[in-house]
mmCIF file with all atom_site columns, all heavy atoms in Angstrom:
data_model
loop_
_atom_site.group_PDB
_atom_site.id
_atom_site.type_symbol
_atom_site.label_atom_id
_atom_site.label_alt_id
_atom_site.label_comp_id
_atom_site.label_asym_id
_atom_site.label_entity_id
_atom_site.label_seq_id
_atom_site.pdbx_PDB_ins_code
_atom_site.Cartn_x
_atom_site.Cartn_y
_atom_site.Cartn_z
_atom_site.occupancy
_atom_site.B_iso_or_equiv
_atom_site.pdbx_formal_charge
_atom_site.auth_seq_id
_atom_site.auth_comp_id
_atom_site.auth_asym_id
_atom_site.auth_atom_id
_atom_site.pdbx_PDB_model_num
ATOM 1   N N   . LYS A 1 13  ? -5.417  19.608 -17.203 1.00 0.00 ? 286 LYS A N   1
ATOM 2   C CA  . LYS A 1 13  ? -6.848  19.671 -17.493 1.00 0.00 ? 286 LYS A CA  1
ATOM 3   C C   . LYS A 1 13  ? -7.126  20.837 -18.436 1.00 0.00 ? 286 LYS A C   1
ATOM 4   O O   . LYS A 1 13  ? -6.785  21.981 -18.150 1.00 0.00 ? 286 LYS A O   1
ATOM 5   C CB  . LYS A 1 13  ? -7.666  19.857 -16.207 1.00 0.00 ? 286 LYS A CB  1
ATOM 6   C CG  . LYS A 1 13  ? -9.158  20.060 -16.457 1.00 0.00 ? 286 LYS A CG  1
ATOM 7   C CD  . LYS A 1 13  ? -9.815  18.850 -17.105 1.00 0.00 ? 286 LYS A CD  1
ATOM 8   C CE  . LYS A 1 13  ? -11.225 19.154 -17.571 1.00 0.00 ? 286 LYS A CE  1
ATOM 9   N NZ  . LYS A 1 13  ? -11.880 17.991 -18.201 1.00 0.00 ? 286 LYS A NZ  1
ATOM 10  N N   . SER A 1 54  ? -13.880 12.134 -9.379  1.00 0.00 ? 327 SER A N   1
ATOM 11  C CA  . SER A 1 54  ? -14.495 11.675 -10.645 1.00 0.00 ? 327 SER A CA  1
ATOM 12  C C   . SER A 1 54  ? -15.652 12.524 -11.163 1.00 0.00 ? 327 SER A C   1
ATOM 13  O O   . SER A 1 54  ? -16.495 12.032 -11.888 1.00 0.00 ? 327 SER A O   1
ATOM 14  C CB  . SER A 1 54  ? -15.003 10.228 -10.631 1.00 0.00 ? 327 SER A CB  1
ATOM 15  O OG  . SER A 1 54  ? -14.550 9.483  -9.622  1.00 0.00 ? 327 SER A OG  1
ATOM 16  N N   . THR A 1 57  ? -13.350 15.132 -15.856 1.00 0.00 ? 330 THR A N   1
ATOM 17  C CA  . THR A 1 57  ? -12.510 14.161 -16.561 1.00 0.00 ? 330 THR A CA  1
ATOM 18  C C   . THR A 1 57  ? -11.060 14.655 -16.632 1.00 0.00 ? 330 THR A C   1
ATOM 19  O O   . THR A 1 57  ? -10.798 15.846 -16.564 1.00 0.00 ? 330 THR A O   1
ATOM 20  C CB  . THR A 1 57  ? -13.017 13.933 -17.994 1.00 0.00 ? 330 THR A CB  1
ATOM 21  O OG1 . THR A 1 57  ? -13.061 15.198 -18.650 1.00 0.00 ? 330 THR A OG1 1
ATOM 22  C CG2 . THR A 1 57  ? -14.405 13.320 -17.995 1.00 0.00 ? 330 THR A CG2 1
ATOM 23  N N   . LYS A 1 78  ? -13.797 5.302  -5.199  1.00 0.00 ? 351 LYS A N   1
ATOM 24  C CA  . LYS A 1 78  ? -14.928 6.113  -4.734  1.00 0.00 ? 351 LYS A CA  1
ATOM 25  C C   . LYS A 1 78  ? -15.385 5.719  -3.322  1.00 0.00 ? 351 LYS A C   1
ATOM 26  O O   . LYS A 1 78  ? -15.911 6.548  -2.596  1.00 0.00 ? 351 LYS A O   1
ATOM 27  C CB  . LYS A 1 78  ? -16.094 5.998  -5.709  1.00 0.00 ? 351 LYS A CB  1
ATOM 28  C CG  . LYS A 1 78  ? -15.874 6.760  -7.010  1.00 0.00 ? 351 LYS A CG  1
ATOM 29  C CD  . LYS A 1 78  ? -17.005 6.454  -7.969  1.00 0.00 ? 351 LYS A CD  1
ATOM 30  C CE  . LYS A 1 78  ? -16.818 7.082  -9.328  1.00 0.00 ? 351 LYS A CE  1
ATOM 31  N NZ  . LYS A 1 78  ? -17.946 6.712  -10.209 1.00 0.00 ? 351 LYS A NZ  1
ATOM 32  N N   . ASN A 1 89  ? -25.308 20.675 -3.913  1.00 0.00 ? 362 ASN A N   1
ATOM 33  C CA  . ASN A 1 89  ? -25.850 19.731 -4.896  1.00 0.00 ? 362 ASN A CA  1
ATOM 34  C C   . ASN A 1 89  ? -26.958 18.926 -4.235  1.00 0.00 ? 362 ASN A C   1
ATOM 35  O O   . ASN A 1 89  ? -26.906 17.716 -4.148  1.00 0.00 ? 362 ASN A O   1
ATOM 36  C CB  . ASN A 1 89  ? -24.737 18.830 -5.450  1.00 0.00 ? 362 ASN A CB  1
ATOM 37  C CG  . ASN A 1 89  ? -24.041 18.037 -4.381  1.00 0.00 ? 362 ASN A CG  1
ATOM 38  O OD1 . ASN A 1 89  ? -24.362 18.155 -3.198  1.00 0.00 ? 362 ASN A OD1 1
ATOM 39  N ND2 . ASN A 1 89  ? -23.108 17.202 -4.768  1.00 0.00 ? 362 ASN A ND2 1
ATOM 40  N N   . GLU A 1 98  ? -34.271 11.652 3.739   1.00 0.00 ? 371 GLU A N   1
ATOM 41  C CA  . GLU A 1 98  ? -34.417 10.822 2.547   1.00 0.00 ? 371 GLU A CA  1
ATOM 42  C C   . GLU A 1 98  ? -33.147 10.868 1.702   1.00 0.00 ? 371 GLU A C   1
ATOM 43  O O   . GLU A 1 98  ? -32.693 9.842  1.200   1.00 0.00 ? 371 GLU A O   1
ATOM 44  C CB  . GLU A 1 98  ? -35.600 11.350 1.732   1.00 0.00 ? 371 GLU A CB  1
ATOM 45  C CG  . GLU A 1 98  ? -36.528 10.247 1.291   1.00 0.00 ? 371 GLU A CG  1
ATOM 46  C CD  . GLU A 1 98  ? -37.686 10.798 0.494   1.00 0.00 ? 371 GLU A CD  1
ATOM 47  O OE1 . GLU A 1 98  ? -38.261 11.842 0.898   1.00 0.00 ? 371 GLU A OE1 1
ATOM 48  O OE2 . GLU A 1 98  ? -38.005 10.200 -0.535  1.00 0.00 ? 371 GLU A OE2 1
ATOM 49  N N   . GLY A 1 108 ? -24.389 1.004  -0.769  1.00 0.00 ? 381 GLY A N   1
ATOM 50  C CA  . GLY A 1 108 ? -24.686 -0.374 -0.411  1.00 0.00 ? 381 GLY A CA  1
ATOM 51  C C   . GLY A 1 108 ? -24.891 -0.602 1.077   1.00 0.00 ? 381 GLY A C   1
ATOM 52  O O   . GLY A 1 108 ? -24.758 -1.723 1.561   1.00 0.00 ? 381 GLY A O   1
ATOM 53  N N   . LYS A 1 150 ? -23.617 14.332 4.171   1.00 0.00 ? 423 LYS A N   1
ATOM 54  C CA  . LYS A 1 150 ? -23.701 13.483 2.974   1.00 0.00 ? 423 LYS A CA  1
ATOM 55  C C   . LYS A 1 150 ? -22.353 12.842 2.653   1.00 0.00 ? 423 LYS A C   1
ATOM 56  O O   . LYS A 1 150 ? -22.296 11.717 2.179   1.00 0.00 ? 423 LYS A O   1
ATOM 57  C CB  . LYS A 1 150 ? -24.114 14.325 1.747   1.00 0.00 ? 423 LYS A CB  1
ATOM 58  C CG  . LYS A 1 150 ? -25.544 14.799 1.768   1.00 0.00 ? 423 LYS A CG  1
ATOM 59  C CD  . LYS A 1 150 ? -26.081 15.088 0.363   1.00 0.00 ? 423 LYS A CD  1
ATOM 60  C CE  . LYS A 1 150 ? -25.253 16.053 -0.438  1.00 0.00 ? 423 LYS A CE  1
ATOM 61  N NZ  . LYS A 1 150 ? -25.739 16.209 -1.821  1.00 0.00 ? 423 LYS A NZ  1
ATOM 62  N N   . LYS B 2 3   ? -24.430 -5.821 -1.842  1.00 0.00 ? 32  LYS B N   1
ATOM 63  C CA  . LYS B 2 3   ? -23.995 -4.492 -1.456  1.00 0.00 ? 32  LYS B CA  1
ATOM 64  C C   . LYS B 2 3   ? -23.718 -3.611 -2.667  1.00 0.00 ? 32  LYS B C   1
ATOM 65  O O   . LYS B 2 3   ? -24.083 -2.444 -2.704  1.00 0.00 ? 32  LYS B O   1
ATOM 66  C CB  . LYS B 2 3   ? -22.703 -4.633 -0.632  1.00 0.00 ? 32  LYS B CB  1
ATOM 67  C CG  . LYS B 2 3   ? -22.710 -3.808 0.624   1.00 0.00 ? 32  LYS B CG  1
ATOM 68  C CD  . LYS B 2 3   ? -21.462 -4.075 1.444   1.00 0.00 ? 32  LYS B CD  1
ATOM 69  C CE  . LYS B 2 3   ? -20.612 -2.841 1.456   1.00 0.00 ? 32  LYS B CE  1
ATOM 70  N NZ  . LYS B 2 3   ? -19.334 -2.992 2.098   1.00 0.00 ? 32  LYS B NZ  1
ATOM 71  N N   . ARG B 2 22  ? -45.685 10.404 -5.663  1.00 0.00 ? 51  ARG B N   1
ATOM 72  C CA  . ARG B 2 22  ? -46.088 11.482 -4.765  1.00 0.00 ? 51  ARG B CA  1
ATOM 73  C C   . ARG B 2 22  ? -46.858 12.567 -5.501  1.00 0.00 ? 51  ARG B C   1
ATOM 74  O O   . ARG B 2 22  ? -47.703 13.235 -4.923  1.00 0.00 ? 51  ARG B O   1
ATOM 75  C CB  . ARG B 2 22  ? -44.859 12.125 -4.152  1.00 0.00 ? 51  ARG B CB  1
ATOM 76  C CG  . ARG B 2 22  ? -44.382 11.385 -2.955  1.00 0.00 ? 51  ARG B CG  1
ATOM 77  C CD  . ARG B 2 22  ? -43.196 12.136 -2.374  1.00 0.00 ? 51  ARG B CD  1
ATOM 78  N NE  . ARG B 2 22  ? -42.608 11.328 -1.344  1.00 0.00 ? 51  ARG B NE  1
ATOM 79  C CZ  . ARG B 2 22  ? -41.311 11.167 -1.182  1.00 0.00 ? 51  ARG B CZ  1
ATOM 80  N NH1 . ARG B 2 22  ? -40.460 11.775 -1.988  1.00 0.00 ? 51  ARG B NH1 1
ATOM 81  N NH2 . ARG B 2 22  ? -40.858 10.404 -0.224  1.00 0.00 ? 51  ARG B NH2 1
ATOM 82  N N   . GLU B 2 93  ? -24.585 14.384 -8.831  1.00 0.00 ? 122 GLU B N   1
ATOM 83  C CA  . GLU B 2 93  ? -23.226 14.192 -8.302  1.00 0.00 ? 122 GLU B CA  1
ATOM 84  C C   . GLU B 2 93  ? -23.210 13.152 -7.189  1.00 0.00 ? 122 GLU B C   1
ATOM 85  O O   . GLU B 2 93  ? -22.210 12.454 -7.012  1.00 0.00 ? 122 GLU B O   1
ATOM 86  C CB  . GLU B 2 93  ? -22.667 15.514 -7.771  1.00 0.00 ? 122 GLU B CB  1
ATOM 87  C CG  . GLU B 2 93  ? -22.345 16.504 -8.874  1.00 0.00 ? 122 GLU B CG  1
ATOM 88  C CD  . GLU B 2 93  ? -21.780 17.826 -8.359  1.00 0.00 ? 122 GLU B CD  1
ATOM 89  O OE1 . GLU B 2 93  ? -21.619 17.986 -7.127  1.00 0.00 ? 122 GLU B OE1 1
ATOM 90  O OE2 . GLU B 2 93  ? -21.516 18.697 -9.183  1.00 0.00 ? 122 GLU B OE2 1
ATOM 91  N N   . GLU B 2 94  ? -24.317 13.054 -6.460  1.00 0.00 ? 123 GLU B N   1
ATOM 92  C CA  . GLU B 2 94  ? -24.381 12.051 -5.381  1.00 0.00 ? 123 GLU B CA  1
ATOM 93  C C   . GLU B 2 94  ? -24.154 10.660 -5.954  1.00 0.00 ? 123 GLU B C   1
ATOM 94  O O   . GLU B 2 94  ? -23.514 9.818  -5.339  1.00 0.00 ? 123 GLU B O   1
ATOM 95  C CB  . GLU B 2 94  ? -25.753 12.114 -4.690  1.00 0.00 ? 123 GLU B CB  1
ATOM 96  C CG  . GLU B 2 94  ? -25.956 13.373 -3.875  1.00 0.00 ? 123 GLU B CG  1
ATOM 97  C CD  . GLU B 2 94  ? -27.403 13.577 -3.439  1.00 0.00 ? 123 GLU B CD  1
ATOM 98  O OE1 . GLU B 2 94  ? -28.278 12.784 -3.836  1.00 0.00 ? 123 GLU B OE1 1
ATOM 99  O OE2 . GLU B 2 94  ? -27.647 14.552 -2.698  1.00 0.00 ? 123 GLU B OE2 1
ATOM 100 N N   . LEU B 2 96  ? -22.682 10.095 -8.984  1.00 0.00 ? 125 LEU B N   1
ATOM 101 C CA  . LEU B 2 96  ? -21.403 10.033 -9.700  1.00 0.00 ? 125 LEU B CA  1
ATOM 102 C C   . LEU B 2 96  ? -20.220 9.811  -8.766  1.00 0.00 ? 125 LEU B C   1
ATOM 103 O O   . LEU B 2 96  ? -19.229 9.206  -9.162  1.00 0.00 ? 125 LEU B O   1
ATOM 104 C CB  . LEU B 2 96  ? -21.178 11.314 -10.516 1.00 0.00 ? 125 LEU B CB  1
ATOM 105 C CG  . LEU B 2 96  ? -22.212 11.598 -11.599 1.00 0.00 ? 125 LEU B CG  1
ATOM 106 C CD1 . LEU B 2 96  ? -21.876 12.889 -12.328 1.00 0.00 ? 125 LEU B CD1 1
ATOM 107 C CD2 . LEU B 2 96  ? -22.302 10.449 -12.593 1.00 0.00 ? 125 LEU B CD2 1
ATOM 108 N N   . SER B 2 98  ? -20.454 8.108  -6.049  1.00 0.00 ? 127 SER B N   1
ATOM 109 C CA  . SER B 2 98  ? -20.651 6.842  -5.347  1.00 0.00 ? 127 SER B CA  1
ATOM 110 C C   . SER B 2 98  ? -20.206 5.689  -6.252  1.00 0.00 ? 127 SER B C   1
ATOM 111 O O   . SER B 2 98  ? -20.058 5.874  -7.458  1.00 0.00 ? 127 SER B O   1
ATOM 112 C CB  . SER B 2 98  ? -22.132 6.676  -4.989  1.00 0.00 ? 127 SER B CB  1
ATOM 113 O OG  . SER B 2 98  ? -22.851 6.346  -6.158  1.00 0.00 ? 127 SER B OG  1
ATOM 114 N N   . LYS B 2 255 ? -20.260 15.333 -16.757 1.00 0.00 ? 284 LYS B N   1
ATOM 115 C CA  . LYS B 2 255 ? -18.909 15.593 -16.248 1.00 0.00 ? 284 LYS B CA  1
ATOM 116 C C   . LYS B 2 255 ? -18.263 16.657 -17.126 1.00 0.00 ? 284 LYS B C   1
ATOM 117 O O   . LYS B 2 255 ? -18.472 16.658 -18.339 1.00 0.00 ? 284 LYS B O   1
ATOM 118 C CB  . LYS B 2 255 ? -18.051 14.324 -16.301 1.00 0.00 ? 284 LYS B CB  1
ATOM 119 C CG  . LYS B 2 255 ? -18.469 13.281 -15.297 1.00 0.00 ? 284 LYS B CG  1
ATOM 120 C CD  . LYS B 2 255 ? -17.492 12.137 -15.277 1.00 0.00 ? 284 LYS B CD  1
ATOM 121 C CE  . LYS B 2 255 ? -18.043 10.996 -14.423 1.00 0.00 ? 284 LYS B CE  1
ATOM 122 N NZ  . LYS B 2 255 ? -17.140 9.847  -14.415 1.00 0.00 ? 284 LYS B NZ  1
ATOM 123 N N   . ASN B 2 256 ? -17.463 17.517 -16.511 1.00 0.00 ? 285 ASN B N   1
ATOM 124 C CA  . ASN B 2 256 ? -16.802 18.564 -17.292 1.00 0.00 ? 285 ASN B CA  1
ATOM 125 C C   . ASN B 2 256 ? -15.484 18.065 -17.871 1.00 0.00 ? 285 ASN B C   1
ATOM 126 O O   . ASN B 2 256 ? -14.787 17.320 -17.252 1.00 0.00 ? 285 ASN B O   1
ATOM 127 C CB  . ASN B 2 256 ? -16.541 19.775 -16.415 1.00 0.00 ? 285 ASN B CB  1
ATOM 128 C CG  . ASN B 2 256 ? -17.829 20.509 -16.132 1.00 0.00 ? 285 ASN B CG  1
ATOM 129 O OD1 . ASN B 2 256 ? -18.573 20.829 -17.049 1.00 0.00 ? 285 ASN B OD1 1
ATOM 130 N ND2 . ASN B 2 256 ? -18.109 20.738 -14.860 1.00 0.00 ? 285 ASN B ND2 1
#
Side-chain angles (χ1 to χ4, degrees):
Chain A
K286 175 63 190 180
S327 345
T330 56
K351 286 173 184 179
N362 59 359
E371 227 180 317
K423 289 204 305 175
Chain B
K32 226 175 113 185
R51 276 183 189 137
E122 289 180 1
E123 290 168 356
L125 299 180
S127 75
K284 290 187 189 178
N285 287 309

